[in-house]
Short mmCIF file of all heavy atoms in Angstrom, two decimals:
data_model
loop_
_atom_site.label_atom_id
_atom_site.label_comp_id
_atom_site.label_asym_id
_atom_site.label_seq_id
_atom_site.Cartn_x
_atom_site.Cartn_y
_atom_site.Cartn_z
N GLY A 173 -31.99 -34.53 9.79
CA GLY A 173 -30.71 -34.90 9.29
C GLY A 173 -29.71 -33.73 9.15
O GLY A 173 -28.53 -33.84 9.38
N PHE A 174 -30.26 -32.61 8.67
CA PHE A 174 -29.44 -31.42 8.47
C PHE A 174 -29.12 -30.69 9.76
O PHE A 174 -28.33 -29.72 9.80
CB PHE A 174 -30.08 -30.48 7.52
CG PHE A 174 -30.00 -30.91 6.07
CD1 PHE A 174 -31.17 -31.04 5.28
CD2 PHE A 174 -28.77 -31.16 5.47
CE1 PHE A 174 -31.05 -31.44 3.97
CE2 PHE A 174 -28.69 -31.58 4.12
CZ PHE A 174 -29.82 -31.69 3.43
N SER A 175 -29.69 -31.10 10.89
CA SER A 175 -29.51 -30.38 12.16
C SER A 175 -28.50 -31.03 13.09
O SER A 175 -27.78 -30.33 13.81
CB SER A 175 -30.84 -30.22 12.87
OG SER A 175 -31.80 -29.49 12.12
N PHE A 176 -28.42 -32.35 13.13
CA PHE A 176 -27.60 -33.00 14.10
C PHE A 176 -26.11 -32.64 13.97
O PHE A 176 -25.44 -32.26 14.94
CB PHE A 176 -27.69 -34.52 13.99
CG PHE A 176 -28.91 -35.11 14.70
CD1 PHE A 176 -29.71 -36.01 14.06
CD2 PHE A 176 -29.24 -34.68 15.94
CE1 PHE A 176 -30.81 -36.57 14.70
CE2 PHE A 176 -30.36 -35.17 16.62
CZ PHE A 176 -31.15 -36.15 16.01
N VAL A 177 -25.54 -32.72 12.79
CA VAL A 177 -24.10 -32.53 12.57
C VAL A 177 -23.71 -31.06 12.86
O VAL A 177 -22.80 -30.86 13.67
CB VAL A 177 -23.70 -32.98 11.19
CG1 VAL A 177 -22.24 -32.55 10.92
CG2 VAL A 177 -23.90 -34.47 11.00
N PRO A 178 -24.31 -30.05 12.26
CA PRO A 178 -23.94 -28.69 12.56
C PRO A 178 -24.15 -28.33 14.04
O PRO A 178 -23.38 -27.51 14.54
CB PRO A 178 -24.82 -27.82 11.67
CG PRO A 178 -25.94 -28.67 11.27
CD PRO A 178 -25.38 -30.11 11.23
N ALA A 179 -25.14 -28.90 14.68
CA ALA A 179 -25.36 -28.60 16.09
C ALA A 179 -24.19 -29.05 16.94
O ALA A 179 -23.68 -28.38 17.82
CB ALA A 179 -26.68 -29.24 16.59
N THR A 180 -23.71 -30.27 16.67
CA THR A 180 -22.56 -30.79 17.41
C THR A 180 -21.27 -30.00 17.12
O THR A 180 -20.51 -29.71 18.00
CB THR A 180 -22.33 -32.26 17.08
OG1 THR A 180 -23.53 -32.99 17.29
CG2 THR A 180 -21.25 -32.86 17.96
N ILE A 181 -21.09 -29.63 15.83
CA ILE A 181 -19.94 -28.84 15.43
C ILE A 181 -20.00 -27.47 16.09
O ILE A 181 -18.96 -27.00 16.67
CB ILE A 181 -19.81 -28.70 13.93
CG1 ILE A 181 -19.52 -30.09 13.27
CG2 ILE A 181 -18.77 -27.70 13.53
CD1 ILE A 181 -19.46 -30.06 11.80
N ALA A 182 -21.14 -26.85 16.11
CA ALA A 182 -21.28 -25.53 16.74
C ALA A 182 -21.03 -25.62 18.23
O ALA A 182 -20.47 -24.70 18.83
CB ALA A 182 -22.66 -24.97 16.50
N ALA A 183 -21.43 -26.74 18.88
CA ALA A 183 -21.28 -26.86 20.28
C ALA A 183 -19.81 -27.00 20.75
O ALA A 183 -19.43 -26.57 21.81
CB ALA A 183 -22.05 -28.11 20.79
N VAL A 184 -18.93 -27.54 19.88
CA VAL A 184 -17.52 -27.67 20.26
C VAL A 184 -16.69 -26.49 19.71
O VAL A 184 -15.50 -26.45 19.97
CB VAL A 184 -16.96 -28.99 19.69
CG1 VAL A 184 -17.68 -30.15 20.28
CG2 VAL A 184 -16.95 -29.06 18.19
N THR A 185 -17.34 -25.54 19.03
CA THR A 185 -16.62 -24.39 18.61
C THR A 185 -16.12 -23.52 19.78
O THR A 185 -16.89 -23.17 20.63
CB THR A 185 -17.50 -23.49 17.72
OG1 THR A 185 -17.91 -24.20 16.57
CG2 THR A 185 -16.77 -22.22 17.27
N GLY A 186 -14.83 -23.25 19.78
CA GLY A 186 -14.24 -22.44 20.86
C GLY A 186 -14.06 -23.16 22.19
O GLY A 186 -13.58 -22.57 23.14
N VAL A 187 -14.39 -24.46 22.24
CA VAL A 187 -14.19 -25.19 23.48
C VAL A 187 -12.77 -25.81 23.42
O VAL A 187 -12.38 -26.31 22.40
CB VAL A 187 -15.25 -26.34 23.59
CG1 VAL A 187 -14.99 -27.23 24.80
CG2 VAL A 187 -16.63 -25.71 23.68
N PRO A 188 -12.06 -25.82 24.56
CA PRO A 188 -10.70 -26.44 24.53
C PRO A 188 -10.80 -27.90 24.11
O PRO A 188 -11.76 -28.63 24.38
CB PRO A 188 -10.25 -26.35 26.03
CG PRO A 188 -11.03 -25.23 26.54
CD PRO A 188 -12.37 -25.20 25.85
N PRO A 189 -9.77 -28.35 23.38
CA PRO A 189 -9.83 -29.73 22.85
C PRO A 189 -10.08 -30.78 23.91
O PRO A 189 -10.74 -31.80 23.62
CB PRO A 189 -8.41 -29.91 22.23
CG PRO A 189 -7.98 -28.50 21.90
CD PRO A 189 -8.56 -27.63 22.94
N HIS A 190 -9.55 -30.61 25.14
CA HIS A 190 -9.72 -31.62 26.17
C HIS A 190 -11.16 -31.67 26.72
O HIS A 190 -11.53 -32.56 27.47
CB HIS A 190 -8.77 -31.46 27.30
CG HIS A 190 -8.99 -30.18 28.09
ND1 HIS A 190 -8.53 -28.96 27.71
CD2 HIS A 190 -9.62 -29.97 29.26
CE1 HIS A 190 -8.88 -28.06 28.61
NE2 HIS A 190 -9.57 -28.64 29.57
N GLU A 191 -12.02 -30.70 26.28
CA GLU A 191 -13.38 -30.65 26.74
C GLU A 191 -14.35 -30.89 25.58
O GLU A 191 -15.59 -30.67 25.72
CB GLU A 191 -13.73 -29.34 27.45
CG GLU A 191 -13.04 -29.24 28.80
CD GLU A 191 -13.53 -28.05 29.59
OE1 GLU A 191 -13.98 -27.03 28.98
OE2 GLU A 191 -13.37 -28.05 30.86
N ALA A 192 -13.83 -31.22 24.41
CA ALA A 192 -14.71 -31.45 23.25
C ALA A 192 -15.67 -32.59 23.47
O ALA A 192 -16.84 -32.51 23.05
CB ALA A 192 -13.83 -31.67 22.00
N GLY A 193 -15.20 -33.64 24.10
CA GLY A 193 -16.10 -34.79 24.37
C GLY A 193 -17.18 -34.40 25.33
O GLY A 193 -18.34 -34.81 25.21
N LEU A 194 -16.88 -33.54 26.35
CA LEU A 194 -17.90 -33.09 27.25
C LEU A 194 -18.93 -32.23 26.51
O LEU A 194 -20.16 -32.40 26.73
CB LEU A 194 -17.20 -32.21 28.36
CG LEU A 194 -18.15 -31.40 29.28
CD1 LEU A 194 -19.04 -32.33 30.09
CD2 LEU A 194 -17.33 -30.55 30.22
N ALA A 195 -18.49 -31.34 25.62
CA ALA A 195 -19.37 -30.53 24.92
C ALA A 195 -20.28 -31.32 23.96
O ALA A 195 -21.49 -31.05 23.86
CB ALA A 195 -18.62 -29.45 24.09
N SER A 196 -19.72 -32.35 23.31
CA SER A 196 -20.52 -33.18 22.41
C SER A 196 -21.52 -34.01 23.23
O SER A 196 -22.66 -34.17 22.77
CB SER A 196 -19.57 -34.13 21.63
OG SER A 196 -18.74 -33.38 20.80
N GLY A 197 -21.11 -34.52 24.37
CA GLY A 197 -22.01 -35.24 25.21
C GLY A 197 -23.15 -34.41 25.72
O GLY A 197 -24.28 -34.83 25.87
N LEU A 198 -22.88 -33.12 26.01
CA LEU A 198 -23.82 -32.21 26.47
C LEU A 198 -24.91 -31.97 25.40
O LEU A 198 -26.14 -31.80 25.73
CB LEU A 198 -23.20 -30.88 26.89
CG LEU A 198 -24.11 -29.84 27.47
CD1 LEU A 198 -24.75 -30.35 28.77
CD2 LEU A 198 -23.29 -28.56 27.81
N VAL A 199 -24.55 -31.91 24.15
CA VAL A 199 -25.51 -31.76 23.08
C VAL A 199 -26.48 -32.94 23.04
O VAL A 199 -27.69 -32.72 22.92
CB VAL A 199 -24.79 -31.68 21.68
CG1 VAL A 199 -25.75 -31.76 20.56
CG2 VAL A 199 -24.02 -30.34 21.65
N ASN A 200 -25.98 -34.17 23.18
CA ASN A 200 -26.88 -35.32 23.19
C ASN A 200 -27.75 -35.28 24.43
O ASN A 200 -28.97 -35.71 24.33
CB ASN A 200 -26.05 -36.61 23.18
CG ASN A 200 -25.39 -36.88 21.83
OD1 ASN A 200 -26.00 -36.61 20.78
ND2 ASN A 200 -24.20 -37.35 21.83
N THR A 201 -27.26 -34.82 25.56
CA THR A 201 -28.09 -34.71 26.74
C THR A 201 -29.21 -33.67 26.55
O THR A 201 -30.36 -33.92 26.92
CB THR A 201 -27.24 -34.30 27.94
OG1 THR A 201 -26.23 -35.31 28.16
CG2 THR A 201 -28.05 -34.16 29.21
N SER A 202 -28.84 -32.54 25.96
CA SER A 202 -29.84 -31.50 25.70
C SER A 202 -30.96 -31.99 24.74
O SER A 202 -32.10 -31.65 24.91
CB SER A 202 -29.17 -30.25 25.12
OG SER A 202 -28.27 -29.69 26.04
#
């Protein structure tokens, strides 16, 4: 429970807004 949310937030850090969905989807794929 404590890992899912910060992992997704960390994954979109520094990513352009138009690619945030791609970065979040990549986390679920990984």
